[in-house]
Amino acid sequence: MTADLATPKKVKRSKAEKAAAKEKEQRKADGDFFVAEEIAKDEGEDEVKEKKEKSSKKRRAEAEEEGGNAEDGEHKKKKRKDKEEGAEGDAHDSEKKKKKKRKHAEAEAAELTAVAIESATTESDDQKNKKRKRAAEDAASVSVTIAEASSSKSEKEPKDKKKSKKQKKDAASTSTSGTAALAPPATPAEAAAFLAEHSITIHTPPGEEELPPILAFPQLAIPSELRSCFTGFSAPTPIQACTWPPALMGRDVVGIAETGSGKTLAFGIPALARLITAPPPSDGSSTISVLVVAPTRELAIQTHETLNALGARLGIASVAVFGGVPKEPQVRMLRNLNKSKPGPEARVTTRVVVGTPGRILDLVQEGVCDLSGVNYLVLDEADRMLDKGFENDIRNIISNTKQGAERQTMMFSATWPDAVRRLASTFQQNPVVEVFDDTRSKDNRLLNHLRTLGHKKTTTTGGEEARILVFALYKKEASRVEQRLRQEGYSVGALHGDLSQSARMEALERFKNGTTGLLVATDVAARGLDIPNVGAVINYTFPLTIEDYIHRIGRTGRGGKTGKSITFFTGENHERSLAGELARVLRESGFQCEGLKKFPMTIKKKEHGAYGAFFRDDIPMPKGPTKIVFD
Ligand SMILES: Nc1ncnc2c1ncn2[C@@H]1O[C@H](COP(=O)(O)OP(=O)(O)OP(=O)(O)O)[C@@H](O)[C@H]1O
């Protein structure tokens, strides 16, 4: 019977129908079908919430069942995650079946991803308005931590010349208060009143300029094309107001804010501004430069929809990848990125990936998701991701993106527990050089940094990210700094030549096993020893040679991990003559060295004991055996 029914149907099909069916099949194979199906979801906010709660309950129950299974191997963990994602998928199954017919109709009707997104956006306008209202009312306490400047990112490149007529028209119709005609920034009194009213604390690292919040959209220096993103909003939400100024300057930002506080635009506007001003590479390398990692697929889909809708007119598209659904369509979709398609989609370049950690990593490891061009990374709801056991996945994902100052990282979290602090301090790995005149203020600066890095006074975590290595130049200095830190209540060890060998070995062992999270060492005592990977290195006094500096900072950020190095540079004594070399090292690694320019920038040619200044220092000299010497 089935065959009987099917046959006449087939026969009756017109040529045009056949062509349409063929095209649909092709789109399916290209992965479009998947995107269209997912983004055409018209789940109400309540349904999403309910599902979120259901799946989190399920997760909690599973976690309790598995309680204490922290020793699980990577494989087990992955399986569990797949199970979680599968469970999430099950929860959606009955819902999915009900909607299957309608979704298919929508998916088939959705000729283009962008069209589907726009319709989905329109459909959920009511829900959006609800959320909008909530966001506007949201004056919950918000905290923003600004990391040290990543680099002097110049984002003022010429805009994409290939803009369509429509794009040009759109841009013209948006507010003209672009970067050229900005409203004056908030006065210190206005800024203070705003921060007090919304219970906002902004932690700017010592030495960094404090930026006032943006109280009104016209104060915002962004490409004019982006101004239409604010249509219907009267003012920035608190998290947007405080996040935009540092984020638009290219700084790493940590925002502590509740859901529904307007985070998507808080990181979305700087992301789009960056994409508009830096066109995609034309050398065939990956066009993905923005990556958003989120804990759940609901959040990933929501963020993807928002960014896709905002980016559509700018020629920027996003893809969403998440667990709980088959991987193959996502693999096909990623393989076929930017393959020219007919119609308006041909103008769109996929530059954003939004996804959940497990699936992103899977796809990266399969070689289909190339993150090597990612220079803007967002970790959304970081605390939830860590709660769900995604820490290793996140670190792994980060190691596949651009490193150091080449990447700007935005992190959002509703809470600020130790695990989140540690994650924040490890990705903010830019070597920072603080140039100052007053050597007496070194101790206070050191204490400030320990606080900013979230270092616990009595850490017994054993976690390598929590360890901080402080380098002093002289034995007496190391001993004094150690005493000072101990007076301040820190659990600290020392490694220098005034200590007996057994005392040094004990200090090293305690540092390695995490009993003390802080170690003050001299270069000579530390040389040749297996000092484990540490979260941060602080150069209290600059070493005698630039090689020692490189050796010191190499103690952190090892094995693809991230780390942080902070260097105090007073320009006194031996430091003055090393300013030029330090500036060169920083410049070559892509970091700023402005502060050093007040010192002579001459680089002294190295002299060899036997060959004087004429020896070749560009070829490696044979290394002798490692010698362990304690000064
Ligand atoms: N400046 C603003 N004024 C009023 N509404 C806004 C503003 N910015 C964003 N919104 C709206 O507020 C709602 C919540 O924003 P958004 O989804 O970005 O919050 P969120 O913090 O990411 O929350 P969630 O984690 O639940 O996604 C959205 O509907 C968004 O359109």
Side-chain angles (χ1 to χ4, degrees):
M1 254 201 24
T2 317
D4 285 350
L5 283 172
T7 316
K9 236 186 184 174
K10 257 187 183 170
V11 171
K12 273 181 197 167
R13 266 180 159 183
S14 70
K15 260 190 180 175
E17 277 172 338
K18 267 187 192 166
K22 207 173 160 196
E23 198 190 315
K24 201 182 102 195
E25 279 306 310
Q26 185 58 47
R27 276 209 316 276
K28 249 190 199 179
D30 288 351
D32 277 6
F33 181 81
F34 165 78
V35 180
E37 188 180 43
E38 288 303 331
I39 58 182
K41 278 184 179 176
D42 59 351
E43 291 165 330
E45 194 188 351
D46 292 345
E47 287 169 271
V48 172
K49 252 194 195 160
E50 204 179 296
K51 278 179 202 165
K52 271 186 189 174
E53 269 166 19
K54 257 192 206 166
S55 64
S56 76
K57 260 188 206 161
K58 215 176 226 179
R59 269 195 301 274
R60 266 201 297 276
E62 278 186 18
E64 272 164 29
E65 235 172 65
E66 291 178 20
N69 247 355
E71 302 287 322
D72 267 4
E74 236 0 74
H75 181 65
K76 265 189 175 176
K77 215 170 177 187
K78 207 156 182 267
K79 261 187 149 180
R80 191 170 65 221
K81 215 164 40 194
D82 285 347
K83 205 169 114 195
E84 277 174 14
E85 290 172 341
E88 278 187 28
D90 291 346
H92 286 262
D93 271 1
S94 60
E95 195 64 33
K96 266 189 169 173
K97 272 178 196 161
K98 273 187 219 163
K99 288 179 184 170
K100 204 173 172 189
K101 271 188 178 177
R102 189 178 42 190
K103 266 190 204 166
H104 269 268
E106 281 171 355
E108 283 169 31
E111 281 293 316
L112 297 163
T113 309
V115 175
I117 296 148
E118 266 162 21
S119 68
T121 315
T122 329
E123 277 165 14
S124 54
D125 264 359
D126 274 359
Q127 300 150 18
K128 294 263 170 193
N129 281 341
K130 239 199 253 169
K131 269 187 126 187
R132 204 171 290 163
K133 214 169 151 196
R134 206 179 58 206
E137 284 163 8
D138 184 11
S141 89
V142 169
S143 170
V144 177
T145 300
I146 301 154
E148 286 76 358
S150 293
S151 66
S152 55
K153 278 159 197 138
S154 140
E155 302 200 320
K156 305 286 173 252
E157 284 164 36
K159 311 232 168 83
D160 188 2
K161 283 178 198 150
K162 288 182 188 167
K163 261 190 252 162
S164 70
K165 269 185 190 168
K166 186 175 178 308
Q167 278 173 305
K168 279 184 187 156
K169 206 175 134 200
D170 286 343
S173 69
T174 58
S175 163
T176 50
S177 53
T179 48
L182 291 179
T187 62
E190 285 168 341
F194 179 85
L195 298 180
E197 185 193 342
H198 296 287
S199 316
I200 301 172
T201 337
I202 301 183
H203 305 274
T204 307
E208 285 282 322
E209 185 196 354
E210 285 189 16
L211 303 165
I214 295 286
L215 306 188
F217 295 120
Q219 290 172 346
L220 197 58
I222 48 166
S224 56
E225 299 96 305
L226 285 177
R227 295 206 177 270
S228 59
C229 300
F230 310 132
T231 308
F233 303 156
S234 54
T237 65
I239 192 77
Q240 292 165 355
C242 301
T243 306
W244 282 334
L248 286 164
M249 285 183 75
R251 291 188 193 166
D252 292 342
V253 177
V254 176
I256 306 299
E258 293 296 327
T259 59
S261 51
K263 283 178 285 137
T264 315
L265 285 187
F267 62 74
I269 293 294
L272 291 170
R274 182 182 264 261
L275 293 177
I276 291 172
T277 48
S282 50
D283 59 0
S285 53
S286 173
T287 57
I288 304 296
S289 40
V290 172
L291 174 68
V292 183
V293 191
T296 62
R297 64 174 176 175
E298 288 83 3
L299 185 57
I301 291 170
Q302 187 185 304
T303 304
H304 156 76
E305 286 177 356
T306 307
L307 295 182
N308 223 353
L310 297 177
R313 285 176 311 101
L314 309 164
I316 294 165
S318 147
V319 290
V321 295
F322 42 80
V325 291
K327 208 163 35 174
E328 289 65 37
Q330 297 178 0
V331 171
R332 279 198 298 274
M333 184 177 65
L334 287 164
R335 284 199 203 285
N336 292 326
L337 281 188
N338 309 322
K339 285 216 169 136
S340 82
K341 288 164 191 151
E345 207 183 33
R347 291 198 307 268
V348 173
T349 309
T350 306
R351 304 195 63 195
V352 182
V353 168
V354 186
T356 48
R359 183 54 63 91
I360 295 175
L361 193 58
D362 260 13
L363 295 168
V364 168
Q365 283 166 349
E366 276 192 26
V368 287
C369 187
D370 183 352
L371 302 180
S372 59
V374 168
N375 56 17
Y376 188 92
L377 170 72
V378 181
L379 303 175
D380 199 3
E381 300 201 359
D383 48 353
R384 280 183 78 190
M385 291 201 280
L386 297 186
D387 281 351
K388 290 175 83 177
F390 284 133
E391 180 160 358
N392 281 343
D393 288 357
I394 294 171
R395 288 181 188 276
N396 212 331
I397 289 169
I398 294 178
S399 71
N400 282 281
T401 65
K402 283 194 180 291
Q403 295 299 300
E406 283 193 293
R407 187 194 66 234
Q408 181 179 3
T409 310
M410 309 283 290
M411 181 160 126
F412 293 88
S413 183
T415 55
W416 188 229
D418 268 359
V420 178
R421 282 169 203 247
R422 276 206 305 277
L423 184 64
S425 68
T426 50
F427 71 67
Q428 292 161 2
Q429 58 157 5
N430 322 313
V432 176
V433 176
E434 292 190 358
V435 180
F436 54 90
D437 300 326
D438 180 11
T439 42
R440 284 165 306 176
S441 67
K442 270 183 171 184
D443 284 359
N444 287 337
R445 283 175 186 255
L446 176 61
L447 294 171
N448 262 340
H449 278 294
L450 293 178
R451 273 192 290 272
T452 311
L453 290 169
H455 189 75
K456 273 195 171 169
K457 289 198 169 174
T458 52
T459 176
T460 50
T461 60
E464 53 191 34
E465 297 81 17
R467 296 187 199 126
I468 296 180
L469 189 51
V470 179
F471 274 106
L473 187 58
Y474 308 106
K475 295 180 277 187
K476 297 278 174 280
E477 183 183 57
S479 171
R480 193 193 58 72
V481 173
E482 183 215 358
Q483 304 280 331
R484 177 74 207 269
L485 291 173
R486 185 157 292 132
Q487 273 167 13
E488 292 291 328
Y490 282 98
S491 157
V492 55
L495 205 64
H496 56 79
D498 277 350
L499 297 169
S500 70
Q501 182 153 348
S502 63
R504 280 175 261 163
M505 285 309 174
E506 195 188 332
L508 185 64
E509 194 44 45
R510 287 166 66 82
F511 187 61
K512 274 185 176 179
N513 67 25
T515 318
T516 47
L518 205 50
L519 185 68
V520 185
T522 56
D523 296 280
V524 183
R527 190 162 302 151
L529 288 177
D530 175 26
I531 303 244
N533 193 12
V534 292
V537 164
I538 301 179
N539 294 310
Y540 183 87
T541 298
F542 201 76
L544 291 176
T545 67
I546 206 72
E547 286 78 11
D548 280 336
Y549 166 76
I550 291 165
H551 191 253
R552 283 180 178 186
I553 66 169
R555 303 288 182 181
T556 188
R558 282 142 76 114
K561 291 186 182 153
T562 51
K564 184 166 193 146
S565 93
I566 297 165
T567 302
F568 298 164
F569 196 94
T570 61
E572 289 198 344
N573 309 323
H574 68 288
E575 292 182 4
R576 198 173 169 79
S577 61
L578 290 170
E581 276 192 81
L582 176 59
R584 177 180 56 83
V585 168
L586 291 172
R587 219 175 20 247
E588 282 172 3
S589 321
F591 299 107
Q592 278 184 326
C593 53
E594 280 309 302
L596 290 170
K597 290 203 175 139
K598 65 179 178 179
F599 305 113
M601 284 288 106
T602 43
I603 297 177
K604 212 176 146 210
K605 177 86 174 103
K606 277 188 219 113
E607 295 203 1
H608 189 269
Y611 306 106
F614 298 100
F615 87 108
R616 293 275 309 273
D617 62 355
D618 56 343
I619 47 173
M621 298 292 285
K623 275 188 189 149
T626 306
K627 199 172 157 195
I628 304 176
V629 182
F630 296 107
D631 55 347

